[in-house]
Amino acid sequence: MSNRLFIFDTTLRDGEQVPGCQLNTIEKIQVAKQLEALGVDVIEAGFPISSPGDFNSVIEISKAVTWPTICALTRAVQKDIDVAVEALHYAKHKRIHTGIGTSESHIKYKFNATHEEIIERAVAAVKYAKRYVEDVEFYAEDAGRTDNEYLARVIEAVVKAGATVCNIPDTTGYCLPQEFGEKIKYLMEHVDGLSNGQCILSTHCHNDLGMATANTMAGILNGARQAEVTINGIGERAGNTSLEEIAMILKCHKSIGIDTNINTQRIYPTSRLVSSLMNMPVQPNKAIVGRNAFAHSSGIHQDGVLKNAQTYEIMNPKDVGIDENSILLTARSGHAALKHRLQVLGIDMSDEALDKTYGAFLHLADQKKEITDDDILMLAGADRTATHAVKLDYLQVTTGKGVRSVAAIGLSISGEKFEAAASGNGPVDAAIKALKVIIRRQMTLKEFTIQAISKGSDDVGKVHMQVEYDGRLYYGFGANTDIVTASVEAYIDCINKFKK
Ligand code: KIV
Ligand code: ZN
């Protein structure tokens, strides 16, 4: 059996399905190019029939990326496959990922079908996709809870129909690692066309019980040769298996004898780019890419690491692209330094956009001494608000201990100016009340997260918000050295979304 594991990245499909993580096409292209530089084998670029945005993104990513295979998701439905084929037109290497639910509850409640009908629909979809592309991946949704014997029948039928990859998703994140490993082993032993490499098995694990990485590893150890993963483990609910965890497990445990094509030094910049563009903070203790992943705080550990890093570190931070000595940018850094740092972070800008970003960079560098990669990513994304109808012109807040906070705010709405003032329990409360005097809608703040300041009191504070309006939740983001302004900007970001 081959000792090469294919990395199938679904950050732009399963990851992007997460509420609040939606990217526009330009941002998706940035991520796709970064994934290409990282060395992923397959990029799942979207679910073309689901929306015109997804359709268009698959087209543009297909044009922008050369080396990896571009994959489009479909249901086992002809119309879905037709649309996917159209969206993949420009891809140099293309794959259709089609499938159907195979567990008892999917068969009974979702499809109201028989076991045989599900196999017929699966086979028909694979055969139909094969008319247009050579590389067809089949997914058996909820395979984690599907009886192994029946699953083997489904997989055998689709392999005969021409599937080149069969995906065994643990859709609900329910399986135990041993159980999932045995499932893969069972299929490898009972399905013709797997052990000879005619078709490879793929893992697609969700993290509902915190076992996605363990299950993926169990699958690989039992014969799966493709792993479906996302950057930072983002994805529906508790997320998907993290790309960085699988890549580093295989790198650190050489005795397993399985390699990937991942350039691990690109892991950290890719993680920062995805986190920043998707406004999805990485938990500080996240393996490999969390802020604390290589931070030794206990005296005993620090002493050991200073004497010999291997005492407590199983991998070198530089192996994942964390360079503590990387040059920080300051107000004295020129255009070229900013451009270089942006490129390292996976962002190519037009000269015009670079000029604008450089202006914003100088402005920020006046307010804080050292500009970090997170700041640069935030500045690079700043013009995402350029098309917003509602903009914050000014905000003035008086606050302190023993006094009620008072805020005065100025907004421009489609170019027209508005002003208001209000008092509140604190500066953010006062500012949002003033905002609501102008925007007279029934909106409720549901979630409000201020990201911890990591490097000094002059750092940029980042705010994530969820606002409910008209029965729907809207996600907003704001970043500013002034945390009250960042909060109001996040609120305004939400308003701009529901004004559309
Ligand atoms: O989790 C899942 O089952 C999926 C499939 C659509 C592949 O995402
Ligand atoms: Zn999934």
Side-chain angles (χ1 to χ4, degrees):
M1 194 186 299
S2 154
N3 61 359
R4 165 83 151 80
L5 178 77
F6 293 99
I7 296 291
F8 175 115
D9 183 278
T10 184
T11 305
L12 294 173
R13 200 278 298 169
D14 227 345
E16 213 252 349
Q17 261 166 240
V18 177
C21 283
Q22 278 66 42
L23 301 180
N24 61 36
T25 303
I26 293 168
E27 293 163 336
K28 285 187 191 173
I29 291 171
Q30 283 178 2
V31 173
K33 284 188 162 172
Q34 184 78 358
L35 291 172
E36 181 174 38
L38 179 65
V40 309
D41 299 286
V42 185
I43 295 175
E44 188 163 47
F47 181 12
I49 199 148
S50 68
S51 71
D54 254 42
F55 178 78
N56 200 36
S57 299
V58 175
I59 294 181
E60 296 306 325
I61 291 170
S62 299
K63 289 182 192 163
V65 164
T66 323
W67 185 80
T69 295
I70 305 299
C71 178
L73 184 77
T74 79
R75 294 165 296 181
V77 172
Q78 286 196 359
K79 179 76 189 143
D80 283 30
I81 296 170
D82 290 339
V83 175
V85 170
E86 209 185 322
L88 286 170
H89 177 75
Y90 295 98
K92 314 271 175 313
H93 312 282
K94 48 190 96 178
R95 177 181 294 179
I96 287 183
H97 188 191
T98 189
I100 195 162
T102 53
S103 66
E104 290 306 304
S105 53
H106 277 245
I107 296 173
K108 217 161 148 188
Y109 303 115
K110 190 166 163 187
F111 298 109
N112 188 20
T114 65
H115 290 76
E116 295 314 312
E117 281 164 354
I118 292 293
I119 296 181
E120 279 163 25
R121 283 163 74 165
V123 167
V126 170
K127 282 190 174 159
Y128 190 71
K130 274 301 250 200
R131 287 202 213 164
Y132 304 101
V133 294
E134 176 45 37
D135 191 1
V136 174
E137 174 169 341
F138 172 80
Y139 65 86
E141 196 176 0
D142 207 10
R145 293 187 302 168
T146 300
D147 168 65
N148 286 349
E149 226 173 287
Y150 175 64
L151 186 60
R153 282 179 55 213
V154 177
I155 299 302
E156 180 140 317
V158 295
V159 173
K160 271 205 190 100
T164 42
V165 180
C166 279
N167 176 12
I168 311 301
D170 183 23
T171 305
T172 58
Y174 176 76
C175 282
L176 294 167
Q178 189 182 353
E179 188 187 0
F180 192 74
E182 276 166 9
K183 190 175 281 290
I184 298 295
K185 186 164 187 268
Y186 183 90
L187 295 172
M188 291 298 296
E189 286 171 354
H190 291 84
V191 176
D192 281 347
L194 294 184
S195 55
N196 65 7
Q198 178 189 338
C199 173
I200 59 166
L201 288 185
S202 180
T203 62
H204 177 112
C205 299
H206 280 268
N207 204 29
D208 299 66
L209 291 170
M211 294 190 287
T213 296
N215 282 340
T216 300
M217 281 311 302
I220 295 167
L221 293 173
N222 282 286
R225 284 296 174 268
Q226 178 180 280
E228 306 199 0
V229 290
T230 60
I231 300 296
N232 301 334
I234 63 160
E236 292 244 75
R237 310 180 308 277
N240 291 57
T241 307
S242 303
L243 180 151
E244 60 274 12
E245 292 175 14
I246 298 303
M248 290 314 290
I249 289 170
L250 293 175
K251 191 176 168 93
C252 291
H253 286 268
K254 293 247 166 18
S255 60
I256 294 177
I258 296 177
D259 292 323
T260 68
N261 187 52
I262 296 299
N263 172 358
T264 60
Q265 293 187 341
R266 289 274 188 169
I267 286 178
Y268 192 67
T270 310
S271 161
R272 300 310 316 146
L273 181 72
V274 168
S275 166
S276 163
L277 289 177
M278 291 192 164
N279 296 329
M280 181 59 102
V282 175
Q283 73 190 61
N285 59 332
K286 166 81 181 65
I288 321 291
V289 291
R291 198 172 62 235
N292 296 347
F294 294 95
H296 299 271
S297 55
S298 105
I300 297 172
H301 282 204
Q302 280 179 348
D303 182 50
V305 169
L306 287 174
K307 286 179 178 145
N308 181 345
Q310 284 179 2
T311 316
Y312 284 103
E313 279 183 1
I314 55 166
M315 54 196 152
N316 187 328
K318 286 197 174 110
D319 287 346
V320 300
I322 298 176
D323 186 356
E324 296 298 349
N325 300 320
S326 71
I327 301 157
L328 286 166
L329 299 185
T330 67
R332 291 206 187 85
S333 308
H335 246 83
L338 177 65
K339 186 172 179 182
H340 173 73
R341 201 66 211 152
L342 281 163
Q343 277 167 350
V344 170
L345 293 168
I347 298 178
D348 270 322
M349 276 189 176
S350 67
D351 286 348
E352 197 192 337
L354 181 67
D355 281 349
K356 251 173 122 180
T357 307
Y358 187 66
F361 161 79
L362 288 180
H363 184 68
L364 182 62
D366 273 348
Q367 294 168 47
K368 59 181 299 216
K369 276 191 242 117
E370 288 173 341
I371 305 291
T372 64
D373 286 352
D374 277 357
D375 296 331
I376 292 171
L377 287 165
M378 184 264 302
L379 291 173
D383 65 351
R384 269 181 284 167
T385 60
T387 56
H388 282 180
V390 183
K391 289 189 174 138
L392 180 65
D393 281 345
Y394 69 83
L395 176 68
Q396 187 180 35
V397 185
T398 315
T399 191
K401 190 167 180 232
V403 290
R404 201 165 156 75
S405 303
V406 180
I409 198 168
L411 294 186
S412 93
I413 305 180
S414 305
E416 208 181 324
K417 304 284 180 195
F418 296 86
E419 292 181 315
S423 65
N425 277 336
V428 174
D429 186 44
I432 288 176
K433 281 190 172 136
L435 176 72
K436 284 179 163 177
V437 172
I438 303 173
I439 310 280
R440 294 175 179 277
R441 299 200 187 205
Q442 275 300 327
M443 346 177 241
T444 318
L445 180 56
K446 286 290 185 189
E447 204 178 296
F448 177 24
T449 318
I450 299 180
Q451 215 173 317
I453 291 169
S454 56
K455 293 226 170 99
S457 55
D458 62 352
D459 204 354
V460 174
K462 298 176 186 80
V463 173
H464 298 262
M465 267 187 190
Q466 288 181 31
V467 170
E468 191 182 71
Y469 170 64
D470 208 13
R472 280 193 58 187
L473 274 182
Y474 295 85
Y475 293 77
F477 174 73
N480 201 292
T481 47
D482 174 56
I483 203 69
V484 184
T485 304
S487 307
V488 172
E489 280 173 347
Y491 208 107
I492 291 176
D493 194 26
C494 296
I495 292 171
N496 276 297
K497 287 177 185 157
F498 59 72
K499 273 194 82 75
K500 275 180 190 154

